[in-house]
Structures are given as structure tokens and as C-alpha cells.
Amino acid sequence: VDFGGEQDGLIHPAEVFSDDDASLAEGQPVCVWVCKLEEDSVFLTTFERSPVDLEPFVGVRPSLWLTGTVTGVLATGALVAVPSPGGGGPQTGFLHVSKLGDGYVEAVEDVLEVGQELPVRVFQVDVDAGKLLLTTRSLKDLSAFAGISPDVWLSGKVKSIKSYGAFVTVDG
């Protein structure tokens, strides 16, 4: 395809796929597809994508568990084939490592493998972008926090600290 010269685009880590899940290196040749255009940005993927029909997943109850099958394991998560809740063929969703279980998962490959079946819930659907995001986390009752004004301070205790933030147990 000739589009008039070189153009820069971004490949998000979740969009990198290789058989050995190796990282990309500067100067490394790659084959990519355009997955999204946004104002002056081009977003690329190394996944070949077939047309998807995510409409049956829109409005799915958060409490609905579906049985998915792992089709790819990446450093950032897993690709999971999920049956359409309204019938029809399965669609592939992304299960980010942060949505894999209720605890901390260091390495996806330690808990998932290709061909493994697992229960998943639909976390987010973006029909326009063709993205189906999944979770294996349990559905928590957060109603105790509903209606708390942002100007109300709550007491708590730091439970653990990770590189991405701190977990706090809030006094009830």
C-alpha cells in the first residue's frame, strides 16, 4: 500500500503478538495493521483481525459468566475466544493481566495456557473499535461506596504497595 511516505504509529503492548511473546526491538522489521485512527494518531496492531460482531455482547449483565477458551498468551494478558451470548460464532476478547483473578498475577503464562477453558465476564465492549474486554474477577458489592460525596474523607490502612499503586482497606 502506498500512502505517500513513512508514517509513525503506536503499537500498544497489548497489540504485540509473536510465537515466543518476545519484546519488540528498535530497528526490528514487523508487519502491522491499522486498528484505529484518532485525530493525528495512528494505532497499529500485530494481530490479524477478522471482522467481528460484538453487538450480542452489548448490554450483557455484569453477573453473566461465559466459558471462554484461551487462544493466545501474552505478557500483558490473554486472548480468549468467547461464545456469543445471543448465539452465533465465538468472538475473541482480551483478558488483561490486571483483570485475571482477584489477586495479583505476576506472569500470565504461570496461570494460563493455550487451549485452557476458564469462566470470564464481559468487562467492556467497544463495537466501533472492535474490542471485547474480559475479566475473571469476582463481581464485588460496592454499594457501600455509592452516594459518598468526593469531599468526604474516609479512614483506612495501607494493605500493600505495588509499583502501580497502593491497596488500602477502608474502615467501615
Side-chain angles (χ1 to χ4, degrees):
V1 175
D2 181 5
F3 48 86
E6 291 183 350
Q7 296 287 327
D8 290 331
L10 174 71
I11 303 175
H12 185 276
E15 297 292 336
V16 176
F17 177 78
S18 70
D19 291 334
D20 61 3
D21 202 25
S23 299
L24 295 176
E26 288 186 21
Q28 174 185 348
V30 293
C31 289
V32 296
W33 290 267
V34 175
C35 62
K36 187 166 139 184
L37 295 174
E38 222 175 68
E39 294 181 19
D40 62 348
S41 300
V42 178
F43 295 91
L44 305 170
T45 182
T46 61
F47 294 107
E48 184 173 9
R49 292 211 166 102
S50 303
V52 295
D53 178 15
L54 299 180
E55 286 296 334
F57 293 92
V58 174
V60 167
R61 294 182 330 272
S63 60
L64 178 64
W65 288 91
L66 302 166
T67 300
T69 304
V70 177
T71 59
V73 176
L74 312 165
T76 56
L79 300 173
V80 180
V82 183
S84 175
Q91 296 296 334
T92 299
F94 182 66
L95 173 59
H96 190 269
V97 64
S98 67
K99 300 294 182 192
L100 184 53
D102 290 325
Y104 176 71
V105 173
E106 176 119 10
V108 179
E109 64 272 12
D110 290 344
V111 294
L112 292 179
E113 61 184 40
V114 173
Q116 180 179 343
E117 288 190 348
L118 72 161
V120 296
R121 293 185 302 109
V122 174
F123 174 66
Q124 184 179 355
V125 181
D126 185 338
V127 173
D128 295 332
K131 291 194 176 194
L132 175 63
L133 302 180
L134 306 169
T135 182
T136 62
R137 290 185 163 215
S138 23
L139 193 57
K140 296 198 169 43
D141 179 10
L142 303 177
S143 60
F145 291 95
I148 296 177
S149 173
D151 61 346
V152 172
W153 288 86
L154 304 172
S155 297
K157 184 175 183 179
V158 175
K159 183 176 180 179
S160 65
I161 298 175
K162 305 290 182 192
S163 61
Y164 50 86
F167 290 94
V168 175
T169 302
V170 179
D171 297 333

